Amino acid sequence: MSINPDQAIKFSPMHRLQWEEAQQKDVILYPEGMVELNQSSAEILKLCDGSRKPDQIIADLEQKFATTGLTNDITAFLEVALKNGWIQQN
Amino acid sequence: MAGSNKTSITPPRWLLAELTYACPLQCPYCSNPIDYANYQSELDTEDWKRVLTEARKMGAVQLGFSGGEPLTRKDLPELVKHAKNLGYYSNLITSGYGLTEEKIVELKEAGLDHIQVSIQASSQELNDHIAGTTSFRHKKEVAHLVKKHGYPMVLCVVIHRENIHQMPEILAMAEELGADYLELANTQYYGWAHANRDLLLPTKEQFEQAEQIAQAFKEKVAGKMKIYYVVPDFHEDRPKACMNGWGTTFLTIAPDGVALPCHSARDLPGLDCPNVKDYSIDQIWHESKAFNFFRGYEWMKEPCSSCDEKEKDFGGCRCQAYLLTGDMYAADPVCSKSPNHSVIQEAIDSAKASALSDHEKPLIFRNSKNSRRLS
């Protein structure tokens, strides 16, 4: 299972992405579990809304942070997210 | 007492709300205290709402509605709704007994995030025997309804000597029911399970065989079903990092309002566990004797205090140390470095002897009559 570059990515309906005020962090919540996210991971996941393909996610983030060369880092994280079931395609 | 400095205290992230000790099932490994029948009073709805509000403000985000059987509380939908408004991720930990489709829909609308259904075995006969109640068919029906209404479905099976041989059938049942998560919880020997240990503790060979089958299944269903495997610590040589460290992450509130650093802690002597009717959650978490008791490392004795693994497992479980050695400051005897480690092998040998004996004593089922008799 790996990321298909031609398909939009959406966040899994079986998980919840949420800002935690007390921890000053975004977290992923699921049955009896929680993953604390760093800022860059959270930024990537917030764009997984079912409307963007991987290329668009990368382009949007490079634009937002006025930088280039994020492709490898973002792709690697998306693979991890897919493997963990946090995101889906189709 | 640890007396760790206040600035190092992390906020609670997990709140276990044990709404009631009432339960229609009689599982002989129940994690409720043996003397649960002595605690008749239950917090009212307003107290629970205040507890949820205060804990959420401090940072608690995972919320378990547990018991007993939480469905016996008529105000469950109201509490779920309150939890939803506060931003909790709420988990209902249920036997499924008495859970109707109407209730499943009502709880979904109230904002419940997930339902964990326990099944005692893969066959009706054994399930109903262990549960002490006819419940198998209904539980399977509930599991289907949980899926139908869009909840992530967690199937929980507590593993012990009576059902460990059913591991292949248990896994097949989880697949057939479409579980998103399967919790294979090897029995932890506290409370009722401690009293029934000779009858419940499997042999090392049984564990290893079951674990191998579960491991192969885990690989087969990767990407479809997640397996939580609660390790059988009697067959390990290092203790579990119990509760992720005392007073660091977990907060349990018992039905009568007593706040506990872990759900067995009310059995430890001299902790003076505070009640939420008398103190705020903030006071309880930061200032109470009970929550500070085993925080940090200063309370430790040898071999823990000089151990290079103490930051990994915190000396193991305090309740297990107390139950098996009589000293709650001792190293968890599961640890091979513990001077009391032989008690574990003795327990394993005793269980094996019991299994081979011609007249094995019967299981003590968890019910009010037995609770009063034993306490």
Side-chain angles (χ1 to χ4, degrees):
Chain A
M1 190 169 52
S2 60
I3 294 286
N4 180 337
D6 302 321
Q7 281 181 339
I9 300 176
K10 67 173 180 182
F11 194 77
S12 155
M14 293 297 202
H15 296 72
R16 195 206 288 172
L17 184 62
Q18 176 169 308
W19 171 254
E20 279 301 294
E21 192 62 33
Q23 299 180 57
Q24 293 291 302
K25 268 183 194 144
D26 283 287
V27 299
I28 299 172
L29 297 164
Y30 53 94
E32 292 174 54
M34 174 167 75
V35 176
E36 299 179 357
L37 297 169
N38 60 26
Q39 198 200 343
S40 51
S41 305
E43 294 291 344
I44 297 169
L45 290 175
K46 282 178 200 166
L47 296 184
C48 297
D49 60 359
S51 74
R52 295 175 176 84
K53 294 175 186 172
D55 279 357
Q56 291 163 296
I57 291 173
I58 293 162
D60 285 4
L61 286 171
E62 289 184 341
Q63 192 184 357
K64 182 170 178 182
F65 295 100
T67 186
T68 55
L70 296 182
T71 304
N72 288 349
D73 285 350
I74 293 174
T75 308
F77 176 74
L78 287 173
E79 293 290 351
V80 170
L82 183 71
K83 194 159 169 274
N84 281 292
W86 303 335
I87 56 172
Q88 300 174 345
Q89 292 190 298
N90 296 324
Chain B
M1 198 192 317
S4 49
N5 78 49
K6 239 178 141 177
T7 52
S8 67
I9 298 176
T10 52
R13 268 146 294 162
W14 242 108
L15 173 61
L16 185 67
E18 292 186 329
L19 297 181
T20 179
Y21 283 141
C23 186
L25 269 60
Q26 307 183 43
C27 307
Y29 45 73
C30 181
S31 64
N32 290 159
I34 292 265
D35 61 352
Y36 78 88
N38 294 340
Y39 305 104
Q40 295 285 353
S41 75
E42 286 185 7
L43 289 183
D44 64 24
T45 310
E46 291 314 308
D47 277 334
W48 274 119
K49 283 187 174 175
R50 179 177 58 82
V51 166
L52 298 185
T53 303
E54 290 178 0
R56 178 71 187 128
K57 205 171 167 188
M58 290 175 68
V61 60
Q62 279 282 353
L63 170 63
F65 288 111
S66 172
E69 173 49 67
L71 288 166
T72 62
R73 284 280 301 215
K74 296 279 180 286
D75 56 358
L76 182 62
E78 188 179 346
L79 296 177
V80 166
K81 196 167 182 189
H82 188 67
K84 171 73 178 177
N85 292 338
L86 293 168
Y88 276 107
Y89 187 92
S90 50
N91 308 271
L92 176 65
I93 300 159
T94 178
S95 69
Y97 196 90
L99 191 53
T100 59
E101 182 158 22
E102 194 186 353
K103 194 78 164 180
I104 289 171
V105 171
E106 184 188 9
L107 290 169
K108 182 90 185 174
E109 284 167 359
L112 185 66
D113 290 290
H114 129 251
I115 298 180
Q116 181 199 105
V117 183
S118 67
I119 293 191
Q120 279 67 21
S122 61
S123 65
Q124 174 164 2
E125 190 188 359
L126 186 55
N127 176 87
D128 293 356
H129 168 63
I130 296 288
T133 315
T134 306
S135 51
F136 185 67
R137 281 165 190 271
H138 180 64
K139 280 167 177 283
K140 288 181 84 170
E141 175 66 17
V142 164
H144 281 299
L145 290 171
V146 165
K147 282 289 285 185
K148 178 180 163 189
H149 290 283
Y151 291 98
M153 201 263 280
V154 180
L155 202 62
C156 175
V157 186
V158 176
I159 305 294
H160 46 77
R161 198 166 77 223
E162 299 256 328
N163 68 3
I164 196 165
H165 63 285
Q166 289 189 340
M167 186 60 83
E169 292 82 14
I170 289 168
L171 300 174
M173 175 177 72
E175 208 170 11
E176 177 209 320
L177 292 173
D180 298 292
Y181 299 81
L182 172 63
E183 183 169 333
L184 296 169
N186 280 290
T187 301
Q188 308 289 301
Y189 293 92
Y190 307 94
W192 294 87
H194 179 70
N196 286 306
R197 194 178 64 200
D198 274 349
L199 291 108
L200 295 176
L201 185 63
T203 64
K204 186 159 190 156
E205 294 71 37
Q206 285 176 313
F207 268 133
E208 284 171 351
Q209 196 186 358
E211 193 170 7
Q212 218 172 41
I213 295 167
Q215 190 59 40
F217 181 76
K218 190 174 178 172
E219 284 158 26
K220 181 187 144 196
V221 296
K224 282 187 288 180
M225 190 193 305
K226 281 191 183 156
I227 314 285
Y228 292 145
Y229 193 77
V230 180
V231 296
D233 61 354
F234 273 46
H235 293 286
E236 301 287 319
D237 59 5
R238 285 292 177 274
K240 57 196 169 201
C242 201
M243 308 316 287
N244 195 36
W246 187 273
T248 66
T249 311
F250 289 92
L251 169 64
T252 295
I253 309 295
D256 57 348
V258 169
L260 304 166
C262 86
H263 56 265
S264 294
R266 75 191 304 160
D267 289 338
L268 295 176
L271 257 60
D272 303 331
C273 292
N275 195 298
V276 298
K277 288 184 200 164
D278 305 320
Y279 304 97
S280 71
I281 299 297
D282 194 285
Q283 286 172 312
I284 286 170
W285 188 258
H286 289 105
E287 294 163 27
S288 72
K289 180 180 171 187
F291 279 80
N292 283 300
F293 216 96
F294 295 113
R295 273 196 176 124
Y297 306 98
E298 285 162 44
W299 57 269
M300 285 180 173
K301 289 177 152 183
E302 289 298 346
C304 296
S305 49
S306 64
C307 181
D308 61 2
E309 293 172 84
K310 69 180 175 188
E311 289 175 31
K312 203 170 111 192
D313 57 36
F314 319 106
C317 171
R318 297 302 84 224
C319 303
Q320 188 144 279
Y322 179 65
L323 261 181
L324 300 183
T325 75
D327 177 2
M328 63 180 178
Y329 299 93
D332 185 333
V334 160
C335 185
S336 62
K337 296 181 187 177
S338 159
N340 302 110
H341 184 57
S342 62
V343 300
I344 300 294
Q345 191 57 49
E346 285 159 22
I348 293 168
D349 292 345
S350 170
K352 196 170 183 177
S354 169
L356 295 172
S357 134
D358 288 339
H359 25 261
E360 210 175 10
K361 60 185 183 188
L363 282 168
I364 304 165
F365 286 92
R366 179 255 196 225
N367 55 45
S368 299
K369 197 176 141 201
N370 284 335
S371 174
R372 288 196 196 92
R373 185 169 62 81
L374 294 170
S375 57

